Amino acid sequence: MTLPQRFYARPTLEVARDLLGKVLVHRAPDGVTSGVIVEVEAYIGEDDPACHAAAGPTTRNAPLYGEPGRVYVYLNYGLHHLVNAVTEREGFPAAVLIRALEPMEGLELMQRRRRRMPWRTGKPAVDAAQLCRGPGNLSAAMGIDLGLNTRALFRRPLTIEDRGVGVGAVTWGPRVGITRGVEHAWRCWVEANPCVSRVSSPAARP
DNA sequence: CGTTCGATGCACT
DNA sequence: GTGCATCGAACGT
């Protein structure tokens, strides 16, 4: 079942946790790809210095201020598209960044798309666990780009669905790849899952 | 193990 | 002109 809009109209940390185990599905012209969400991060409000809305509304971050249940896609470092599910309520900028998937359908198509990345052209295939490990990798494998920005996640072609997949233990830790807002443990991932982009938690080594 | 750095585009200042 | 919510290879220790 496709998650309804009301799923997203809740506190962002709750949505983040509940997205683990749900399935991101892209029914694209060149085929269907999907994967179980295993790692996410929350970005919450203008008071969150790492949130794109930290400096107030702009053209780019407008989707964050829009209705929950839509996707906010943006281009990062000039070559990676990052996928967020907008949460909370209209007028309050917040979203959940999807950082990693465990691939389900369309593995071969994912491989073909991944090989189009500049540094991967002509290189051998990666193993399945790495296809959607990391936010840049998963958007490439799923064929998600700016063309899908602001689309509703409760309508095709890009949906998030509950397929009854159970996740085991879940861990919270600091978000990665940012310089400000590190004090918040707003990254959430499935423990011991090989598709999670970073395994280490706050306390790294025993 | 660790750190550095190139690829690459564009919103923002 | 600056600085990214990245990736992966190339180095150094």
Side-chain angles (χ1 to χ4, degrees):
Chain A
M1 146 210 139
T2 299
L3 298 176
Q5 185 172 28
R6 66 175 177 279
F7 175 91
Y8 304 93
R10 295 183 294 144
T12 304
L13 295 178
E14 289 181 23
V15 178
R17 165 62 183 83
D18 292 346
L19 278 175
L20 297 180
K22 303 300 189 292
V23 181
L24 180 66
V25 185
H26 187 199
R27 295 171 173 86
D30 52 346
V32 178
T33 49
S34 68
V36 181
I37 299 171
V38 296
E39 180 187 358
V40 296
E41 283 177 359
Y43 290 85
I44 311 174
E46 295 179 347
D47 293 335
D48 174 5
C51 182
H52 275 188
T58 64
T59 315
R60 178 171 72 155
N61 67 27
L64 288 175
Y65 291 83
E67 62 172 341
R70 291 190 176 261
V71 65
Y72 170 46
V73 182
Y74 73 95
L75 186 62
N76 189 46
Y77 293 105
L79 46 147
H80 298 293
H81 293 95
L82 271 62
V83 181
N84 300 257
V86 176
T87 59
E88 309 263 354
R89 62 183 189 278
E90 196 156 354
F92 183 85
V96 175
L97 169 69
I98 301 176
R99 287 192 55 92
L101 307 175
E102 182 174 324
M104 288 188 71
E105 306 161 83
L107 291 257
E108 203 166 308
L109 178 53
M110 289 183 182
Q111 289 283 5
R112 286 203 299 277
R113 288 169 173 160
R114 284 292 306 275
R115 270 195 285 260
R116 291 205 286 263
M117 297 169 92
W119 53 88
R120 293 217 65 84
T121 52
K123 296 241 175 155
V126 301
D127 41 82
Q130 296 196 12
L131 275 173
C132 297
R133 185 161 73 186
N137 286 335
L138 82 86
S139 58
M142 294 287 292
I144 297 171
D145 61 18
L146 288 174
L148 290 169
N149 190 26
T150 74
R151 295 289 305 242
L153 287 168
F154 41 90
R155 299 278 178 236
R156 295 181 183 196
L158 185 64
T159 57
I160 299 178
E161 305 178 9
D162 187 346
R163 296 191 180 173
V165 177
V167 298
V170 160
T171 305
W172 292 87
R175 296 172 292 183
V176 298
I178 55 170
T179 55
R180 301 180 313 270
V182 183
E183 65 273 19
H184 296 123
W186 286 352
R187 182 166 75 113
C188 183
W189 66 93
V190 175
E191 266 182 38
N193 188 296
C195 303
V196 170
S197 68
R198 304 232 197 145
V199 181
S200 64
S201 31
R205 310 206 75 74

